[in-house]
Amino acid sequence: MGAFEELMTYQRQTEALAQVAGRLSWDRETMMPRGAAAQRSEEAGALSEVLHARRIDPRVGDWLEAASGEALDQAGEAQLRHIRRSYERTQRVPSELASALARLTALSQGRWAEARAADDFAAFAPVLAEVVALRLEEGAALADGGDVYDAMLDDYEPGAKAADLDAMFGALRPGLIALRESALGGAAAPKVSGAFDVQTQMRLARQLARVCGYDMARGRIDKAVHPFSSGSGDDVRITTRTSDDDPFNCIYSTMHEAGHAIYEQSIDPAYALTPLGAGVSMGVHESQSRIVENQLGRSRAFTGWLYGQMTDAFGDFGIDGEDAFYAAVNSLHRGYIRTEADEVQYNLHILMRFDLERALVSGDLAPGDLEEAWNARFLRDFGYEVPRASQGCLQDVHWSVGLFGYFPTYSLGNVYAGCLAEALHKAVPDLDSQLAQGDMSSAMGWLRENVQQHGGLYTPRELITRACGFEPSEAPLMRYLEQKFGALYPAG
């Protein structure tokens, strides 16, 4: 057995254990008894120690050195690139720190949930300060003398730099603000009315997931406070949420998470339980969820079909006709919650979080002052005050589990989705007529062939460039938003 083959055998075992760790996290957010948090923290910490030890095992370094002399195909070279990157980064983080972070974040997520339910940021602030301190320690170790925030960002979007994202987001901001101000000054969009049975919502959610291409034989849909996707290969699970008076919450949360899950299910099976067997970055991952949710799921063509499905499921729900339904689905509206924001204002939510978390990492913002800083920034960006913490700085789970550097990948994913949608429409000229029949197969087939099947074979930017035929930029996203919302909310 050659060095590469030995390395890959070892790596598959490590990847399998990582999937088990992911399943523990899935269970924590869906089915775990409330009283099990402390024990789950110990379980997560123990498994984190095992994984950390495997990832820095000296044999990995020996295998990498020996395998670099072997004749490998493109996939083999890409496997080595990913393993080497992980090995070098993991070596920089002491095992005690990795374990402490796993234990702390398992506990802090529960503290966040309690504080969010009580609208009490002060109760969460001390544990947030602990999380920030440990993540800064880890970030400094990963940076190895470089920029700490860039090192954190690299966990989720390899190769990305905060300065480049700052420039991209700066180019987006004026157009987003102009669209928002124009739309919010116009007539209000129609709204749904009535009570929407939860079980009916979940049946419709499962139907829509299948329409998008989600394989229920290798997945399942459950409910969670914060919808998410988990797993890869033949076990990819998603969660959604329901609201008695807002079925769109369930519909589009489901389509969003299905986009994530379909990406994982569509990766070449030959890459299963290897570094190539997962989405290449969170930005690319988000592009798959956002294009399914927005460019496809909120399109005029697809919402015409969806209106019929909603009518069949709920009867009269207060909206008369496909045009009114399309306007309702795409309404620009005041609100506080990122996950409920429209396509235009969603990115403004992310830009705010990007700036706040960089301030936390740089030390310009103390964790205990986050609520005050958040509220002031929200008032400046959105024009109205945050009424309570659960609608402000406690609404997202990310910082409670140490995911600093994660938020900007959401807007980067929107940028990628704008590029991919433009290329998709050119590749499938009759796409709208297919979507009008509730048929996403051609769209998802194009995404599978050009993006999803490759897993981690290419770098994120290389993958998007290959799929689209041009370098990614914010311009296609702005063209899409201006065309769509300019028509929905004409000036004057």
Side-chain angles (χ1 to χ4, degrees):
M1 184 183 293
F4 178 75
E5 193 174 348
E6 290 181 0
L7 174 62
M8 293 308 298
T9 298
Y10 180 89
Q11 187 67 30
R12 287 187 178 92
Q13 294 173 337
T14 303
E15 297 287 343
L17 288 170
Q19 290 296 312
V20 173
R23 210 83 69 242
L24 286 178
S25 296
W26 170 85
D27 177 73
R28 182 179 63 209
E29 297 196 47
T30 55
M31 298 184 179
M32 185 187 80
R34 288 175 55 193
Q39 179 173 316
R40 181 55 49 86
S41 172
E42 290 300 313
E43 293 166 355
L47 192 48
S48 175
E49 286 188 26
V50 171
L51 284 165
H52 189 272
R54 289 186 64 86
R55 287 167 177 154
I56 62 170
D57 190 308
R59 290 177 296 171
V60 174
D62 294 339
W63 284 323
L64 282 168
E65 183 177 356
S68 64
E70 297 181 14
L72 301 174
D73 60 11
Q74 183 185 24
E77 293 291 349
Q79 298 282 18
L80 289 186
R81 183 180 74 244
H82 283 278
I83 297 170
R84 184 176 293 109
R85 175 180 175 275
S86 174
Y87 179 66
E88 291 173 353
R89 285 176 65 81
T90 308
Q91 277 190 314
R92 297 185 186 132
V93 180
S95 58
E96 298 84 0
L97 175 57
S99 176
L101 262 170
R103 288 188 171 89
L104 176 61
T105 53
L107 283 174
S108 64
Q109 183 175 7
R111 300 274 182 84
W112 161 79
E114 293 169 358
R116 181 177 180 271
D119 279 308
D120 186 1
F121 173 74
F124 177 62
V127 73
L128 174 63
E130 292 182 56
V131 172
V132 170
L134 284 184
R135 280 291 279 138
L136 283 174
E137 187 178 346
E138 181 190 49
L142 290 171
D144 196 25
D147 185 88
V148 172
Y149 188 79
D150 280 350
M152 293 177 169
L153 179 61
D154 204 63
D155 274 339
Y156 311 107
E157 195 66 24
K161 301 297 181 186
D164 296 331
L165 294 181
D166 198 31
M168 178 183 286
F169 295 165
L172 278 174
R173 187 188 299 274
L176 296 175
I177 290 175
L179 277 176
R180 181 192 68 192
E181 291 179 350
S182 175
L184 293 181
K191 294 184 179 180
V192 298
S193 61
F196 298 88
D197 176 68
V198 167
Q199 294 306 316
T200 304
Q201 289 186 56
M202 290 301 293
R203 282 196 297 271
L204 183 58
R206 286 188 285 271
Q207 176 193 0
L208 288 170
R210 293 188 184 96
V211 165
C212 294
Y214 182 51
D215 183 358
M216 293 287 290
R218 298 186 292 149
R220 55 180 290 141
I221 303 178
D222 296 277
K223 290 174 63 175
V225 172
H226 193 106
F228 66 97
S229 173
S230 175
S232 68
D234 290 335
D235 191 345
V236 188
R237 309 178 186 195
I238 66 175
T239 63
T240 189
R241 59 184 169 199
T242 57
S243 169
D244 290 341
D245 59 1
D246 180 13
F248 292 155
N249 206 317
C250 179
I251 287 170
Y252 286 104
S253 290
T254 302
M255 294 184 72
H256 180 96
E257 299 307 333
H260 281 303
I262 292 162
Y263 182 8
E264 293 291 336
Q265 289 182 334
S266 300
I267 295 171
D268 188 334
Y271 301 157
L273 295 180
T274 78
L276 301 192
V280 68
S281 75
M282 290 314 304
V284 174
H285 236 302
E286 193 66 11
S287 76
Q288 301 307 285
S289 62
R290 296 299 277 184
I291 197 171
V292 169
E293 175 190 357
N294 292 328
Q295 281 91 344
L296 300 177
R298 296 183 194 269
S299 67
R300 178 63 181 84
F302 188 79
T303 56
W305 174 83
L306 181 58
Y307 177 70
Q309 306 305 304
M310 288 277 292
T311 302
D312 290 344
F314 300 111
D316 180 9
F317 54 92
I319 295 181
D320 185 18
E322 295 178 6
D323 289 340
F325 184 75
Y326 175 62
V329 164
N330 291 287
S331 67
L332 263 70
H333 51 275
R334 287 166 54 109
Y336 306 96
I337 306 300
R338 171 185 64 87
T339 55
E340 298 173 4
D342 53 72
E343 289 183 76
V344 172
Q345 296 185 94
Y346 183 92
N347 292 294
L348 294 174
H349 281 271
I350 297 304
L351 271 54
M352 181 181 78
R353 287 156 174 77
F354 177 56
D355 290 343
L356 288 173
E357 72 175 15
R358 282 191 297 164
L360 285 169
V361 169
S362 69
D364 292 339
L365 175 61
D369 296 332
L370 175 62
E371 183 175 29
E372 181 181 354
W374 177 294
N375 291 349
R377 173 64 182 267
F378 190 92
L379 178 61
R380 191 176 85 217
D381 282 8
F382 292 87
Y384 44 95
E385 294 184 349
V386 176
R388 53 185 180 271
S390 62
Q391 292 185 314
C393 66
L394 289 181
Q395 67 180 265
D396 292 305
V397 71
H398 301 62
W399 290 334
S400 76
V401 290
L403 299 182
F404 294 94
Y406 193 120
F407 274 124
T409 66
Y410 286 126
S411 278
L412 183 58
N414 282 333
V415 167
Y416 288 162
C419 297
L420 291 167
E422 195 166 89
L424 170 60
H425 275 277
K426 291 178 181 177
V428 187
D430 64 338
L431 178 60
D432 284 347
S433 64
Q434 296 181 34
L435 294 176
Q437 303 300 314
D439 182 1
M440 285 198 183
S441 58
S442 291
M444 300 311 296
W446 187 88
L447 290 171
R448 186 179 308 112
E449 179 181 352
N450 291 280
V451 178
Q452 297 169 354
Q453 68 166 326
H454 299 302
L457 185 62
Y458 304 107
T459 66
R461 193 172 182 88
E462 182 183 14
L463 178 65
I464 299 300
T465 301
R466 287 174 58 92
C468 298
F470 56 84
E471 289 277 337
S473 82
E474 71 283 350
L477 175 63
M478 280 310 305
R479 282 195 291 270
Y480 158 74
L481 292 174
E482 287 169 350
Q483 180 180 17
K484 179 177 187 176
F485 290 97
L488 280 166
Y489 297 93

